[in-house]
Amino acid sequence: MRTLCLLAVCIALIAPFWDSAAADSDVSSLIEQGDAAWEKRGTDGAVENRRAADLFLSAVEAAPFNYEAHWKAARSLWWLADQALLVSDDKHRQRELGRQAMDLAGRAVLISPDGVQGRLYRAMSALHYCYGIGMVQALKEGIQEEAARHLIYCYEEDAAAEGGLVFMGLSTLYRTASWPIRDKNKSVAYAREAVSVNPAGIRAAVFLATALAAAGSYEESMELLTRASEMDGDAAREPDYKWWKRFARTCVNGGKVPDPDKIR
């Protein structure tokens, strides 16, 4: 009986740590599976896009204070919004996905205020949310000012984070935001930096061409779009590169960038 009592006490003492270890293992497994799905992501409708988001969201639910789970869940929802915008101007979907991703990234920022990824995806998701609610409402809510603060922080701390996405985010913000934030020269400058750190990136090239067109440099814009339409893509780094190649060719054939405020 004494042995059984001692065993019961030992189990009671180690159970919380046992449960915690098991929970950590579950969260790590979910994140690992989410990473695998993320690596296989594709354009709008790809099964792995939603699978990655669901796995990271499950990790968030299992670990409410896990920074990695939160920013990766936000990133997956940003990707869903990003790819949806390439094929549809459904503002309701942009608003809902953008808001959900912003909330998750915002929690990531609270968990780790110094983390670059949380701030980056808070800002990138905000760009889609702004498209969904309209620029006037976004200005009223102060969304663009907040996005600018987060992106500038990322630029100062780790400008090359996430393959140059910081540069493209800043370029998009200054190209699409309402006055007084809109700044065509800054948009071009940041887009040039995106190309400099990722010269093989077709999306980066299109973003620079779009910024140039918005700034009135149409000849350089068309030259860059022509080159982008002929570039070799890298599916591992840029799963949607074929879409951007087709878009570049469409722009060249039409002699302009259609709806530049939609490119984000």
Side-chain angles (χ1 to χ4, degrees):
M1 179 64 70
R2 181 180 177 84
T3 301
L4 290 175
C5 289
L6 288 172
L7 181 60
V9 171
C10 290
I11 291 174
L13 289 172
I14 69 172
F17 301 99
W18 197 342
D19 291 345
S20 176
D24 289 344
S25 177
D26 289 343
V27 172
S28 296
S29 177
L30 287 168
I31 292 176
E32 185 177 342
Q33 293 176 67
D35 288 341
W38 172 259
E39 290 301 316
K40 297 177 181 177
R41 70 192 182 282
T43 51
D44 186 60
V47 174
E48 296 300 326
N49 295 354
R50 187 70 249 182
R51 175 170 167 74
D54 289 341
L55 285 163
F56 290 130
L57 288 170
S58 294
V60 166
E61 186 175 351
F65 301 102
N66 185 294
Y67 173 70
E68 183 181 8
H70 279 80
W71 78 256
K72 286 186 173 180
R75 179 185 64 177
S76 290
L77 292 175
W78 161 77
W79 181 259
L80 287 173
D82 190 70
Q83 294 304 304
L85 190 57
L86 300 185
V87 297
S88 169
D89 61 355
D90 184 344
K91 289 182 169 55
H92 175 76
R93 189 178 184 192
Q94 292 298 309
R95 181 173 69 249
E96 294 306 308
L97 285 171
R99 179 80 267 176
Q100 189 180 0
M102 285 175 64
D103 288 344
L104 287 160
R107 284 159 62 185
V109 174
L110 290 175
I111 294 167
S112 179
D114 295 335
V116 169
Q117 298 97 333
R119 290 175 178 268
L120 175 57
Y121 286 105
R122 172 77 181 186
M124 297 304 295
S125 301
L127 296 176
H128 286 279
Y129 176 71
C130 289
Y131 183 83
I133 65 174
M135 287 303 153
V136 173
Q137 184 61 32
L139 191 62
K140 289 180 181 178
E141 294 184 19
I143 301 295
Q144 295 151 324
E145 290 91 338
E146 182 199 348
R149 289 196 300 273
H150 286 309
L151 286 168
I152 290 169
Y153 175 90
C154 295
Y155 183 82
E156 293 174 347
E157 293 296 316
D158 185 5
E162 297 294 286
L165 193 59
V166 176
F167 302 116
M168 288 193 281
L170 282 163
S171 179
T172 301
L173 175 71
Y174 288 115
R175 171 169 46 81
T176 62
S178 304
W179 185 90
I181 297 175
R182 186 182 293 240
D183 188 318
K184 295 176 182 178
N185 292 329
K186 285 185 178 180
S187 179
V188 171
Y190 283 120
R192 289 195 191 281
E193 289 194 71
V195 171
S196 70
V197 300
N198 186 16
I202 298 175
R203 180 176 183 148
V206 171
F207 270 49
L208 175 54
T210 302
L212 287 165
S217 300
Y218 300 109
E219 184 175 349
E220 185 180 357
S221 174
M222 287 300 112
E223 290 175 356
L224 188 57
L225 285 166
T226 300
R227 291 201 300 272
S229 70
E230 298 169 352
M231 290 169 64
D232 294 326
D234 182 352
R237 295 187 61 185
E238 202 167 25
D240 55 351
Y241 81 89
K242 291 182 180 179
W243 190 94
W244 291 105
K245 280 173 64 77
R246 290 194 300 271
F247 178 77
R249 176 50 57 188
T250 298
C251 294
V252 172
N253 291 341
K256 65 178 182 178
V257 178
D259 197 7
D261 279 356
K262 187 178 177 181
I263 304 302
R264 58 191 62 226

